Amino acid sequence: MSNQNVRQTEATPVVDLFGIEAPKKVTAEKFADDQNLHIPKRDEHYVFRKEFVREVLAYIQKPHNDAMLAFGHTGTGKSSGFNQLLARLNYPTEEVTCMEDMRFTDLLGQFVLKAKSPGEVPQMTWVDGPLTRAARYGHALIINEWDLMEPGELAGLNDLLDGRPLMIAQNGGEVIDPHPDFRLFATGNSAGSGDEMGHYQAVKTQNLAAMDRYRVIEVDYPEPEVEMNILARVAPKLNPELRDGMVKVANEIRTLFKGENPEAQIGITMSTRVLRRWAMLTLDFKGAKNASGYALDIALLRRADKEEREAVSRICKDVFGDLWS
Ligand SMILES: Nc1ncnc2c1ncn2[C@@H]1O[C@H](COP(=O)(O)OP(=O)(O)OP(=O)(O)O)[C@@H](O)[C@H]1O
Ligand SMILES: [Mg+2]
């Protein structure tokens, strides 16, 4: 049976944990043990969004046998939203990224040839996969790119989400009653409906019965104020006017990417990931001619086609004016 030890927690104001606006009396339970090796690494520049924090905290507090799915475009802050929030709560976490050929059994674990101690004859030994570890020890599990998995494989999670124990037939039928701190998060570019816009080719349409077990949050690119705040943290030495322009350019590119402008559509986008990279590279190459243009090339445009490069270049000239030389 599983280890059902109850962990010590400390009620901590969410304003202190996440830097979001909230009265001091609004608290979240943080695990007292901050030394667990499974706690995600903190990104000190991370900027939290209130809505997201509220919904994730509500799920952690009362999961009601649900799982939680964050879906949205690439680089909007789905995986990092979960792992950074969990990091602030000292929540031991497993994180796995799906590939097309990933099987449910890969999440459960496998037998490997292992010697118990040096010099002994190696024997086939069961090693827990991320799902089993999370259920056994009460960790959070984040399954990234969840919609790349075949629907039939993903449905393997259904029993667990219905509150039934995890049964590992391969390991002699071991039965694990999930630890009370086990939580299941998933991220993907779709809400289970497949690739509707043609941007995410390998995404699979998911089974309705499996989808029924998830609470869903749509994550869009952060508001301009949030991204200004992110850039101020990661590139404080950059001219604020330039930072402001970068956020504007990012949002114009996204409008074209999302197909919100019927005149033009492009197949590349500027994720928050790329925006951060652009700002930091501009500082790294500050001695170069048109440092921000050169940095944008490295950060994004080298993988764009000619038309996309021209469209982005027009946006930059519009937004930056004289600053774009
Ligand atoms: N709120 C934020 N504050 C600071 N940095 C952020 C924020 N959101 C995203 N980022 C940056 O963008 C990167 C990408 O975010 P993340 O990995 O969460 O994207 P994603 O939505 O999971 O994308 P994908 O669909 O490509 O997996 C992060 O590693 C981080 O550097
Ligand atoms: Mg991700």
Side-chain angles (χ1 to χ4, degrees):
M1 288 300 274
S2 61
N3 171 4
Q4 301 268 332
N5 289 342
V6 177
R7 293 190 177 96
Q8 256 203 319
T9 60
E10 296 163 352
T12 313
V14 297
V15 56
D16 299 341
L17 286 169
F18 306 109
I20 54 171
E21 259 177 59
K24 270 273 184 191
K25 64 176 193 300
V26 181
T27 59
E29 293 299 318
K30 176 175 98 170
F31 288 127
D33 175 11
D34 59 3
Q35 297 300 311
N36 190 304
L37 294 175
H38 291 271
I39 298 170
K41 194 165 172 297
R42 282 167 77 124
D43 170 359
E44 299 300 342
H45 299 310
Y46 207 77
V47 180
F48 288 94
R49 291 184 260 176
K50 200 170 173 176
E51 279 297 297
F52 185 90
V53 169
R54 180 170 40 208
E55 294 196 16
V56 179
L57 287 181
Y59 167 63
I60 290 176
Q61 204 182 356
K62 290 186 187 163
H64 301 308
N65 287 335
D66 296 337
M68 178 161 246
L69 166 71
F71 84 97
H73 285 297
T74 178
T76 45
K78 303 178 293 293
S79 310
S80 59
F82 286 145
N83 68 36
Q84 288 308 303
L85 186 145
L86 291 162
R88 300 308 192 272
L89 298 179
N90 293 332
Y91 217 114
T93 300
E94 311 282 331
E95 198 159 358
V96 54
T97 297
C98 291
M99 291 163 289
E100 276 190 87
D101 57 354
M102 186 133 135
R103 307 247 154 239
F104 179 66
T105 50
D106 296 330
L107 295 174
L108 286 180
Q110 59 181 323
F111 278 99
V112 295
L113 205 54
K114 209 166 142 182
K116 283 209 174 97
S117 52
E120 270 194 43
V121 182
Q123 287 179 346
M124 292 308 278
T125 313
W126 174 260
V127 177
D128 286 345
L131 174 64
T132 308
R133 254 193 327 268
R136 198 191 292 279
Y137 302 111
H139 297 177
L141 170 62
I142 306 174
I143 305 180
N144 286 313
E145 319 300 348
W146 140 108
D147 44 4
L148 293 185
M149 227 160 131
E150 290 292 341
E153 294 298 321
L154 206 61
L157 293 169
N158 289 2
D159 277 357
L160 197 60
L161 293 176
D162 287 339
R164 284 197 280 274
L166 189 64
M167 220 277 279
I168 308 178
Q170 300 89 324
N171 195 24
E174 190 192 7
V175 173
I176 298 175
D177 210 4
H179 188 289
D181 295 332
F182 169 67
R183 300 287 182 275
L184 180 61
F185 298 93
T187 74
N189 297 124
S190 79
S193 49
D195 180 22
E196 287 172 329
M197 287 189 61
H199 291 316
Y200 305 105
Q201 280 84 9
V203 161
K204 308 220 167 42
T205 305
Q206 295 299 329
N207 172 297
L208 207 62
M211 286 305 309
D212 223 36
R213 291 160 166 86
Y214 289 78
R215 300 184 194 186
V216 178
I217 323 179
E218 180 167 11
V219 182
D220 202 348
Y221 294 108
E223 294 294 310
E225 308 83 72
V226 174
E227 284 195 324
M228 281 298 287
N229 200 346
I230 296 172
L231 292 195
R233 291 183 189 202
V234 298
K237 293 202 174 125
L238 202 63
N239 175 352
E241 236 183 296
L242 204 56
R243 292 199 300 249
D244 183 51
M246 287 174 165
V247 172
K248 287 198 178 107
V249 168
N251 282 302
E252 299 256 340
I253 293 176
R254 292 163 186 169
T255 305
L256 297 186
F257 173 73
K258 290 180 186 169
E260 288 167 1
N261 178 347
E263 310 276 299
Q265 196 179 0
I266 56 176
I268 52 162
T269 185
M270 182 168 288
S271 62
T272 306
R273 186 189 287 126
V274 172
L275 181 65
R276 276 178 75 151
R277 186 186 301 142
W278 182 17
M280 290 192 288
L281 288 177
T282 303
L283 282 179
D284 292 350
F285 290 104
K286 63 178 182 296
K289 200 170 136 230
N290 187 9
S292 50
Y294 184 47
L296 180 60
D297 237 32
I298 305 176
L300 176 72
L301 291 182
R302 286 183 184 165
R303 58 186 156 94
D305 67 24
K306 188 162 162 280
E307 278 172 27
E308 289 165 344
R309 295 173 67 89
E310 282 170 6
V312 173
S313 175
R314 268 197 305 278
I315 293 172
C316 289
K317 280 189 190 129
D318 273 1
V319 169
F320 290 111
D322 291 344
L323 274 177
W324 196 255
S325 52

